[in-house]
Amino acid sequence: MNPEEIREGKTTAITAYILIVGVLIAMSMNGETKNRFAAFHIRQAAGLSLLFISVGMIASPFGNWLISAPLYFANMILWIYGVSTAVRGEMQPVPLVGSFFQKFLKSI
């Protein structure tokens, strides 16, 4: 991928990491000019948003912060990793689940 394509898609990629609203905004920003860098990060951010919602659904019945806090903390670390790779202009999937997000959300 050339540096020009990364530069053009960086704003869209970073926008995608603003939870689910950012994913929707980034998808509309990337609608006309399909940028591969932006699409990669949109898939990563969408996967992280779905993971966050899933963690909430799994952890909420327990009602115990000793169970939910580590799950939310792990999700936050993955989110920080995704944002930092977008800011640096890299296409690194988030650890553990990033490759799955790319395969599962390939239609985005």
Side-chain angles (χ1 to χ4, degrees):
M1 179 164 308
N2 62 24
E4 182 65 24
E5 189 173 7
I6 291 171
R7 188 187 62 73
E8 289 174 358
K10 194 178 270 193
T11 302
T12 304
I14 294 169
T15 302
Y17 287 99
I18 305 172
L19 294 178
I20 196 73
V21 174
V23 171
L24 298 174
I25 293 169
M27 287 174 67
S28 68
M29 289 171 67
N30 199 38
E32 290 180 24
T33 60
K34 302 287 184 189
N35 184 294
R36 292 182 300 155
F37 178 75
F40 175 85
H41 283 286
I42 290 170
R43 286 189 294 272
Q44 293 291 295
L48 287 173
S49 293
L50 292 173
L51 181 66
F52 181 78
I53 293 167
S54 301
V55 164
M57 292 175 67
I58 292 168
S60 65
F62 295 107
N64 187 343
W65 67 271
L66 291 173
I67 295 172
S68 60
L71 295 174
Y72 286 123
F73 182 73
N75 198 24
M76 183 181 70
I77 296 298
L78 294 176
W79 179 81
I80 290 170
Y81 183 84
V83 171
S84 65
T85 58
V87 169
R88 288 192 311 261
E90 299 173 356
M91 288 180 60
Q92 291 285 342
V94 294
L96 303 174
V97 291
S99 299
F100 174 75
F101 294 158
Q102 290 301 312
K103 291 176 189 170
F104 183 68
L105 301 170
K106 64 184 170 191
S107 63
I108 295 178

